[in-house]
Amino acid sequence: MKGRFRGPVFQRRVEEADATTTDERLLHRGHLDTHNDTWRVLRIQSEFVEGFGALAELGEAIAIFGSARLREDHPGYAQAEEIARRLAEAGFAVITGGGPGIMEAANKGASEAGGLSVGLGIELPFENGLNDHVDLGINFRYFFARKTMFVKYAQGFVVLPGGVGTLDELFEALTLRQTQKIRHFPIVLVGTAYWSGLIGWLRDTALAAGTIGQADLDMLVVTDDLDEVVDLMLRTREDA
Ligand SMILES: C/C(=C\CNc1ncnc2c1ncn2[C@@H]1O[C@H](COP(=O)(O)O)[C@@H](O)[C@H]1O)CO
């Protein structure tokens, strides 16, 4: 294979002028001053350390996702609140993105039922802070560090109607399940009317083209039945 490694990074086509070694660059005066990414690693590391530390004793937890934009007048709001309430009564902590909309509803349901209501917030240019129903909150700078926390500390995902952020969280979990990085991890989509278009596209386009398999599609449960949602999450205890 033509190319070379720079530490753990493989580069196939390296310019001659760039063909220096790591220690040569380290010893070159002033080099580190112009490479802040090197130091940024420590900040990234601190996000993992803080997250792992804060959530280490969380116990059983389910993550609930959904739109930051949908308010009390959307049926998803009441559904998220009710699912979180039932999960909290069953002894699960409820983890959300800590923001408004569906996240707020889930935190509200969990907190008012006496459960542990967790919000993993994200620093955004249009900062809103954590919603008022978060009992244990962490604010992240990096999406990827935050996403690790959702998957590491939740035993299942409940996904209500949402946009780009929600889809990102859904497909993160689906990819990790498909590649068996996580197992026995239910992913439930609540709202058949909202999700049927996506499921139809996955089946009629992606599955038909052979880019996903039937087993991938079967990993998604789509329902309006809140009993089914809670039962699926309770079953993670049997699988543990
Ligand atoms: C856009 C608005 C507020 C943004 N505040 C957010 N706070 C916390 N987490 C967020 C926020 N926005 C998106 N997220 C994450 O993505 C999911 C929702 O995104 P969607 O695009 O709205 O579906 C959610 O689960 C969060 O993890 C308006 O007030």
Side-chain angles (χ1 to χ4, degrees), residues 64-71 96-100 103 120-122 124 126 128-129 143 146 150 161-167 169:
I64 300 181
F65 300 101
S67 171
R69 303 175 187 209
L70 296 178
R71 305 293 166 194
T96 78
M103 295 171 270
L120 307 183
I122 183 74
L124 297 170
F126 41 93
N128 289 299
F143 261 115
R146 176 177 180 259
F150 285 126
V164 173
T166 303
L167 291 169
E169 287 147 355

